[in-house]
Amino acid sequence: MKSAQVLSVHLHDYLYFKDIDIFFDSRLNVITGETGAGKSLILDVFGILLDVTSGRVDNYSADVVMNILTDYPEYNIYSGENVFSITKRANRTVFKINGKVYPKRIVSNILSDYITLHRQNSQMKILDPNFILNFLDEVSQNQEILKEYRNWFEKYGKIQKLLSEYSLEKLKMEFEVIKEKIEEIERINPSIEEEEDLNRKYKVALKFQETVEKYGNIINYSEEVTERLWEIKNLVDEKYEDSVNTAIDIVETLKLDLQKELDEIEGYDAKEIEERIWDYNLLKRKYGPTIEDVLENYKLLKKQEKEITERIELLESSSERRKKVLDKMKQYAKNLSERRKKAAEKVLNEFYKHSKDLNLSFELEFEFSKVEFNNFGYDKVELLGSAVKGEKLKPVRNVASGGELSRLMLALELSIVSDGVLIFDEVDAGISGITGNKLADKLKEVSKNYQVIVVTHLPQIAIKADKHFMVNKEKDFGEVLELDERRRTEEVKRMLGDETVLKFIKE
């Protein structure tokens, strides 16, 4: 197979097209039919898969079988025949490759490597400065350089925004306030566990005297009990001594525990505990209402401290940093501009070859001027032209007719296409007569190297087709017929409008 190629399209369900198969030739394919029959609907599936248009109905389903030339191992997709599918049901659109669901972006990116789609009024894109820049970047293969430039442009924007939004003096004052709050919390160093312990100790400290008296009485009583138990031990038989000893041990253990707790309680300083609790309550009033909230706010304050520190450091070194970023940005922007200018020369050389074949007498020039840095660099590119030799070149939007714009766009597209499929939806808009003959010859010539699919009203183009399809619509039913020579002749006669002998003979 000579290059990438659309092998077939299957419309399961698209408006009034139900279960229709279209098998394309590797060269020039022409789709014709009465106005309103739905010729352009056949191409909708390509627009949807390429993410350049949306479907015209709420529910649809279609497949495109295509031979691609490159492996995409990261997506488990390889060269050869692949099935690209699109289905929309209940406002949910699903994209698939070989039956497996993929994001729309991946599907459109792969197909856009091979398919150039020229739809009705797409020649108007030629008037959009961003389209021209993208066009030149595609020729220059600037994608990686543009990505690097935009990275530096984003950094530069952040520095500029920082400089415009923040004052170094105000940031330092804000930093001091946050630092003071952090130090206040850190000085107290609160914890949930300590707060619980403080509350417990404070309750004990408030009942200190009562507790001491109570525990003292218990200890005194325990000593008396111990004396009586020793007396009992001297009176009982030997077989009861173990029981008495156990009783003595229990009483003595109780005395030791009570004494230990008394010693601990006597070490409590109620005033000191009160002061500590006061510190906790102060923090809770400021950063609470709970210690959990205080600790969470402490984390937020530390985060703010880090962010402000970074901003201060950035502002303090802003001049040097901004200069470094700006130098890098200028370097990449200059590289982009130089590559675009070389691409413009290359495109113009190719353009004049194609425009001559399209009966387009039009001088063209890419005018470069510098503007403020933006997402594309510092280039502003205006497409200038003139249909009259020797006339001063003016913006194409002011001097080109609809038919000339269409042919201009076609010539530019042909100037950059390398290997793939060219799809044209009524590229003949505004074209007739000898120019139509030239366009037909050009499409035939191009189809020697690329697969071409054309929706057209021109009989000159239809005659040149390697495969001719006709779209019919009967009430709510649509069909796509692959024409044999007899029916093809009838269709061309219909397009001519009378029984005039066909002037163009298929080569």
Side-chain angles (χ1 to χ4, degrees):
M1 193 168 291
K2 66 181 180 181
S3 65
Q5 180 183 330
V6 175
L7 302 176
S8 65
V9 169
H10 181 76
L11 300 175
H12 298 276
D13 177 16
Y14 194 84
L15 202 58
Y16 43 77
F17 293 104
K18 313 289 183 184
D19 196 26
I20 288 177
D21 287 295
I22 308 169
F23 297 92
F24 293 101
D25 191 87
S26 61
R27 292 162 295 178
L28 179 58
N29 300 267
V30 170
I31 302 173
T32 65
E34 292 281 2
T35 301
K39 302 182 293 299
S40 296
L41 292 174
I42 306 300
L43 303 186
D44 276 4
V45 62
F46 295 106
I48 297 169
L49 288 169
L50 289 166
D51 195 24
V52 295
T53 187
S54 56
R56 308 189 200 193
V57 290
D58 294 331
N59 296 288
Y60 52 79
S61 178
D63 301 321
V64 171
V65 181
M66 184 170 183
N67 180 74
I68 62 175
L69 307 179
T70 307
D71 293 335
Y72 299 85
E74 66 272 31
Y75 306 128
N76 200 30
I77 297 167
Y78 300 94
S79 60
E81 291 186 16
N82 287 266
V83 181
F84 298 84
S85 305
I86 176 76
T87 301
K88 185 177 182 182
R89 293 284 184 271
N91 292 322
R92 181 171 181 263
T93 307
V94 178
F95 291 79
K96 293 182 180 180
I97 304 177
N98 301 325
K100 182 180 177 182
V101 176
Y102 284 86
K104 176 173 63 175
R105 174 184 55 81
I106 292 175
V107 175
S108 62
N109 285 349
I110 291 175
L111 286 176
S112 62
D113 287 342
Y114 307 104
I115 296 177
T116 299
L117 176 62
H118 181 110
R119 303 218 71 171
Q120 293 184 50
N121 298 319
S122 65
Q123 69 270 17
M124 301 308 293
K125 293 188 299 184
I126 206 170
L127 306 180
D128 181 358
N130 287 346
F131 169 78
I132 298 172
L133 284 168
N134 284 323
F135 178 85
L136 293 175
D137 283 334
E138 183 178 346
V139 179
S140 310
Q141 296 183 336
N142 280 343
Q143 288 78 8
E144 288 302 316
I145 300 173
L146 189 60
K147 182 179 178 182
E148 284 295 323
Y149 164 78
R150 286 174 175 169
N151 180 42
W152 288 105
F153 178 66
E154 182 181 359
K155 289 180 180 178
Y156 184 76
K158 287 180 178 178
I159 294 174
Q160 289 292 84
K161 183 179 180 183
L162 188 69
L163 290 170
S164 65
E165 289 184 353
Y166 296 100
S167 158
L168 184 58
E169 183 179 348
K170 287 183 179 179
L171 276 177
K172 287 184 175 180
M173 289 174 61
E174 187 179 344
F175 175 79
E176 289 301 322
V177 171
I178 290 175
K179 183 180 178 183
E180 186 178 328
K181 292 178 178 179
I182 290 173
E183 288 176 349
E184 182 180 22
I185 296 174
E186 289 180 342
R187 186 170 59 252
I188 296 173
N189 191 24
S191 72
I192 296 171
E193 295 76 17
E194 186 189 15
E195 184 184 35
E196 292 174 350
D197 190 48
L198 284 171
N199 290 330
R200 180 186 62 78
K201 286 180 178 179
Y202 188 64
K203 288 178 183 178
V204 173
L206 289 176
K207 297 182 179 181
F208 174 71
Q209 193 59 42
E210 179 184 341
T211 303
V212 169
E213 290 179 3
K214 182 173 65 175
Y215 281 18
N217 289 333
I218 295 173
I219 290 171
N220 290 333
Y221 294 152
S222 297
E223 289 176 352
E224 294 178 6
V225 170
T226 299
E227 291 177 5
R228 297 290 181 269
L229 287 171
W230 276 104
E231 292 175 1
I232 292 172
K233 182 179 178 181
N234 292 328
L235 295 173
V236 298
D237 291 338
E238 185 177 345
K239 63 182 178 179
Y240 297 112
E241 281 189 8
D242 287 342
S243 296
V244 177
N245 286 335
T246 298
I248 292 171
D249 287 342
I250 291 172
V251 174
E252 288 299 312
T253 299
L254 175 61
K255 281 170 58 182
L256 290 172
D257 289 344
L258 290 173
Q259 189 61 54
K260 183 178 178 182
E261 189 170 343
L262 270 178
D263 293 341
E264 183 181 341
I265 291 171
E266 288 174 350
Y268 290 172
D269 185 335
K271 185 177 181 181
E272 182 181 322
I273 294 172
E274 281 181 350
E275 289 176 353
R276 186 67 176 162
I277 290 174
W278 175 263
D279 288 339
Y280 268 75
N281 290 337
L282 179 64
L283 288 181
K284 288 192 287 186
R285 283 196 299 271
K286 286 187 174 182
Y287 312 108
T290 67
I291 285 299
E292 288 88 344
D293 295 322
V294 172
L295 295 173
E296 189 62 35
N297 280 319
Y298 173 75
K299 292 179 183 177
L300 292 175
L301 288 167
K302 291 293 288 184
K303 182 181 178 182
Q304 291 173 7
E305 180 188 41
K306 181 181 178 183
E307 291 173 350
I308 292 176
T309 300
E310 291 174 351
R311 288 174 188 163
I312 290 173
E313 291 174 354
L314 186 58
L315 282 172
E316 287 178 336
S317 61
S318 59
S319 296
E320 181 182 347
R321 182 174 174 79
R322 180 169 57 177
K323 184 179 183 304
K324 177 184 175 182
V325 172
L326 183 59
D327 288 344
K328 279 286 187 182
M329 198 167 68
K330 285 180 178 178
Q331 176 186 332
Y332 279 103
K334 182 181 178 182
N335 194 6
L336 284 170
S337 185
E338 290 173 348
R339 291 169 67 92
R340 286 167 182 159
K341 288 173 182 176
K342 289 180 181 177
E345 292 179 11
K346 177 182 176 182
V347 167
L348 286 177
N349 289 335
E350 292 296 318
F351 168 80
Y352 284 118
K353 295 177 186 177
H354 294 297
S355 63
K356 183 179 179 181
D357 294 340
L358 291 168
N359 200 32
L360 179 65
S361 178
F362 208 92
E363 290 187 59
L364 200 66
E365 179 183 306
F366 292 93
E367 182 185 57
F368 283 78
S369 58
K370 276 191 176 183
V371 294
E372 289 186 7
F373 286 102
N374 56 54
N375 212 34
F376 289 92
Y378 57 60
D379 282 334
K380 177 184 177 183
V381 184
E382 179 81 61
L383 200 58
L384 304 181
S386 173
V388 181
K389 190 173 183 180
E391 281 283 323
K392 181 181 178 181
L393 301 185
K394 298 177 182 179
V396 165
R397 65 170 64 85
N398 298 332
V399 296
S401 66
E404 285 171 329
L405 279 178
S406 183
R407 282 178 286 156
L408 277 171
M409 190 68 184
L410 175 58
L412 287 173
E413 286 174 340
L414 293 174
S415 299
I416 66 168
V417 70
S418 57
D419 196 358
V421 181
L422 304 175
I423 301 177
F424 301 104
D425 184 3
E426 299 195 19
V427 70
D428 50 13
I431 295 174
S432 60
I434 294 175
T435 303
N437 302 343
K438 293 281 189 177
L439 177 58
D441 289 337
K442 187 62 182 176
L443 292 174
K444 184 66 176 180
E445 177 193 341
V446 168
S447 71
K448 294 176 183 177
N449 298 308
Y450 315 105
Q451 184 185 35
V452 180
I453 301 172
V454 185
V455 168
T456 184
H457 290 291
L458 287 181
Q460 296 99 309
I461 296 176
I463 290 171
K464 299 288 185 179
D466 292 290
K467 189 174 279 192
H468 188 159
F469 302 94
M470 183 179 70
V471 178
N472 277 334
K473 181 188 175 187
E474 295 290 339
K475 294 183 180 180
D476 294 328
F477 175 74
E479 61 178 350
V480 181
L481 303 174
E482 183 179 327
L483 304 183
D484 56 22
E485 285 302 317
R486 181 185 63 81
R487 297 197 67 178
R488 181 179 178 184
T489 300
E490 292 174 357
E491 172 64 2
V492 171
K493 286 181 180 180
R494 181 199 65 77
M495 296 172 74
L496 285 167
D498 56 32
E499 293 295 323
T500 303
V501 177
L502 299 178
K503 179 180 178 182
F504 302 96
I505 304 300
K506 181 182 175 185
E507 293 180 357

